[in-house]
Amino acid sequence: MRLRSPERTRRGFGVGRTLWPSIALPGRTPNRRRRNDSGRFTLRRAYWRQSTGTGMAPTLVVAAVAALLAAALLGPAFDRRSVAVVVLAGVLPDLDAVVSLAIHGATNAAFHTLLIPGTAALAVYWDTTRREHSWLHQRYGWWGIRTAWVAIAAYAVAGIGMDLFGPAGANVLYPLHDRFYAVSGELIYSTRDGWIQTYATLGGENLLSVGSTGTTATHHVATWVNPTPGTGIESGVERRATIVGAGWHVILVVTAAAVLAIRFRRQPEDGTTEVTA
Amino acid sequence: MPASTVHAGIALVVAAALLGAAYDRRALALLAVVLVFPELDAIPGWWLPGAHRAMFHTLVLAGLAAAAIVWDTRHRETSWLRERGGDWAVRVAWTGLVVHVFAHVLLDYAHLSGINLVYPIGDQFFRLEGELVYSTADGFVQTFVDLGGEEGQEVGGTTIDLGQQGSTEDVHVATPADPEAGGGIDQDTERRVPIAVDGWQLYAILLGLFTVGAKRLQGEPPADTHEE
């Protein structure tokens, strides 16, 4: 992950223009644009490449994706309670930051393993199809089964997936196989160079390989709970909670809020008659 | 633009979330047209420099479309939309508008040189980029809006940077149809068609595909429940 340079942190601290106490406004990234030969502004490639934000996907953004999945997949089971369950399932993996206080490197590993949603999916499948009387169905009916499946999807796709495709990476097979994976690259067709694909490497020693950021021993994902590598609660360190880390994060959060507002405003009885947007 | 594939990924999730009972192949095909249409402003860009991301990527157009739907469905005696396709058409129209605004225009707002937000009322590209962080050392720090920065326009003695990028005069956002700034159809230049750049764009595409795939796999709800 990209650590903030000390210079930038210092700017935010005191020298930055302070609007009111505790809200500091550091300067924008320098050299955001440059003029090319024809006098037009073009963006530096390096600048827009960093628009993924830093570190792990902010929990608010994960919650937004989980909420979108809830609205898209719950169908008739969509209500306040089921949305709450699904969003909670989506952000649950981020709690492994707390585990990292006791187990070295557990952030993005302990709960970011696909073994958890995999086991949960097997359990729901077994309960609903292989048992004579499904516990889930008896207790919560059809609503419960649908909500359980969407919650599992949100855990895997929003909770784990966003970090797997982000700069911090996710240790998706922990503890069976201790390695963080971070998918990054590009897929572009160029009329000059043909297809360019850098997400994964095919062939070679491994059949398929994607980027890795290390193992629990070498890779620490800084979080508000555990900002520095190692276990235990430190004191006197700066803790940073990223609320949104990039422009597209804001758009995702706004989109999820709008979609939820529209869905909750709709009356269940009115069929497809009207949408107030 | 983030590639149309990235817009489509987010659009599929939003469409699945809002279409409800109107979710079918025909609705998705119509939404695909809505999604791709703004990119056609690259074509006037052959003659009008800077038209891409300005002409159709403006919130003014979305506002007009919203007003048209409201007028047609609420204030006219017989609604054209309802007459043609009933409730299905109204639902698809509103969903199309939300998809256009959120999955296309606003997503472009946070990408490259952004979009020309209120073209042609005002001609200025804006880009949303920054972060909002709470730090125990610095408090809340945000870098989306810079009040009093070096660049940006003069407003009553102070400078405010809301992510202005310049007007259609200075800003050219490259597309495969018009890779280089200036008018005319470019000859002998490299055209790059991005499918996905960075992990998150690939993620957005997969998220959309996952949503559609999951909806296909889902069992039918029992008869006593009904989808809105």
Side-chain angles (χ1 to χ4, degrees):
Chain A
M1 67 164 283
R2 193 172 66 92
L3 288 165
R4 286 173 72 91
S5 64
E7 177 218 14
R8 201 162 166 212
T9 312
R10 219 182 307 122
R11 237 196 309 175
F13 187 32
V15 189
R17 285 160 288 271
T18 309
L19 186 61
W20 58 80
S22 92
I23 297 206
L25 295 157
R28 297 178 74 90
T29 317
N31 298 326
R32 197 153 50 93
R33 307 172 298 193
R34 65 179 166 82
R35 268 178 197 275
N36 64 13
D37 301 336
S38 58
R40 289 167 186 279
F41 285 118
T42 50
L43 284 151
R44 289 171 67 217
R45 190 173 164 75
Y47 179 70
W48 62 270
R49 290 279 295 176
Q50 74 178 32
S51 65
T52 19
T54 58
M56 65 191 294
T59 304
L60 179 66
V61 183
V62 174
V65 173
L68 283 174
L69 280 174
L73 297 178
L74 281 169
F78 181 91
D79 59 29
R80 259 161 225 281
R81 225 156 40 113
S82 58
V83 171
V85 170
V86 171
V87 171
L88 216 64
V91 301
L92 207 61
D94 284 357
L95 283 181
D96 56 16
V98 179
V99 178
S100 79
L101 295 175
I103 300 172
H104 190 93
T107 309
N108 277 19
F111 297 161
H112 279 68
T113 164
L114 289 172
L115 299 183
I116 291 176
T119 312
L122 276 179
V124 172
Y125 178 77
W126 174 77
D127 178 69
T128 51
T129 60
R130 295 274 176 253
R131 281 176 88 185
E132 216 165 298
H133 297 288
S134 157
W135 173 84
L136 202 58
H137 191 266
Q138 265 174 350
R139 196 128 189 212
Y140 298 105
W142 184 86
W143 179 93
I145 298 172
R146 173 60 69 90
T147 306
W149 280 117
V150 181
I152 291 168
Y155 189 105
V157 174
I160 299 174
M162 280 212 91
D163 278 323
L164 179 59
F165 288 88
N171 205 325
V172 287
L173 291 173
Y174 183 87
L176 293 182
H177 168 76
D178 180 4
R179 181 155 283 279
F180 286 92
Y181 290 98
V183 180
S184 116
E186 56 186 20
L187 174 57
I188 285 176
Y189 178 77
S190 154
T191 50
R192 191 167 295 163
D193 309 325
W195 285 97
I196 303 164
Q197 189 282 116
T198 57
Y199 282 109
T201 327
L202 284 162
E205 203 175 310
N206 302 309
L207 195 61
L208 175 96
S209 51
V210 297
S212 172
T213 46
T215 64
T216 50
T218 60
H219 179 57
H220 174 77
V221 182
T223 54
W224 182 79
V225 178
N226 189 358
T228 53
T231 55
I233 298 172
E234 303 104 314
S235 56
V237 288
E238 186 200 5
R239 290 163 191 274
R240 304 173 56 81
T242 304
I243 296 153
V244 281
W248 64 272
H249 285 168
V250 179
I251 302 305
L252 271 187
V253 171
V254 170
T255 304
V259 164
L260 282 190
I262 293 170
R263 284 297 302 271
F264 279 125
R265 264 214 208 165
R266 254 183 221 169
Q267 295 301 309
E269 281 80 33
D270 71 350
T272 54
T273 44
E274 209 143 45
V275 189
T276 36
Chain B
M1 50 168 188
S4 296
T5 43
V6 179
H7 289 304
I10 304 290
L12 282 174
V13 187
V14 174
L18 294 179
L19 281 172
Y23 181 87
D24 55 27
R25 214 169 280 193
R26 207 151 62 103
L28 290 185
L30 273 172
L31 292 183
V33 174
V34 169
L35 196 73
V36 173
F37 136 80
E39 306 299 3
L40 295 180
D41 61 12
I43 290 168
W46 291 339
W47 304 281
L48 293 167
H52 179 49
R53 289 246 185 141
M55 202 165 272
F56 300 155
H57 285 67
T58 157
L59 292 177
V60 175
L61 194 68
L64 289 177
I69 303 176
V70 169
W71 175 72
D72 181 68
T73 55
R74 306 226 178 122
H75 299 289
R76 275 176 93 182
E77 237 159 76
T78 45
S79 155
W80 178 82
L81 265 179
R82 234 182 266 285
E83 215 172 21
R84 298 268 317 212
D87 294 337
W88 181 89
V90 179
R91 173 64 60 88
V92 173
W94 277 119
T95 306
L97 185 70
V98 174
V99 162
H100 168 69
V101 170
F102 287 93
H104 196 136
V105 175
L106 287 185
L107 207 57
D108 276 344
Y109 177 31
H111 184 256
L112 294 182
S113 294
I115 53 163
N116 212 319
L117 275 177
V118 290
Y119 185 85
I121 297 169
D123 180 5
Q124 178 67 241
F125 281 86
F126 289 93
R127 174 180 199 238
L128 180 73
E129 189 50 59
E131 55 178 7
L132 171 61
V133 173
Y134 178 78
S135 151
T136 48
D138 311 334
F140 280 103
V141 178
Q142 65 86 26
T143 56
F144 288 103
V145 176
D146 192 1
L147 300 144
E150 302 90 324
E151 48 182 350
Q153 63 190 40
E154 292 281 329
V155 177
T158 63
T159 53
I160 298 176
D161 185 354
L162 303 166
Q164 292 97 325
Q165 304 289 322
S167 69
T168 50
E169 295 280 308
D170 328 304
V171 176
H172 172 79
V173 183
T175 74
D178 190 11
E180 279 170 18
I185 296 168
D186 300 315
Q187 308 267 344
D188 301 326
T189 54
E190 186 194 11
R191 290 161 198 271
R192 292 169 76 86
V193 186
I195 309 297
V197 177
D198 265 337
W200 76 271
Q201 296 199 352
L202 184 63
Y203 176 79
I205 297 170
L206 295 176
L207 183 70
L209 294 178
F210 170 82
T211 308
V212 175
K215 273 193 94 76
R216 285 191 75 129
L217 283 177
Q218 279 176 342
E220 287 291 311
D224 58 330
T225 57
H226 60 92
E227 192 151 21
E228 330 149 23

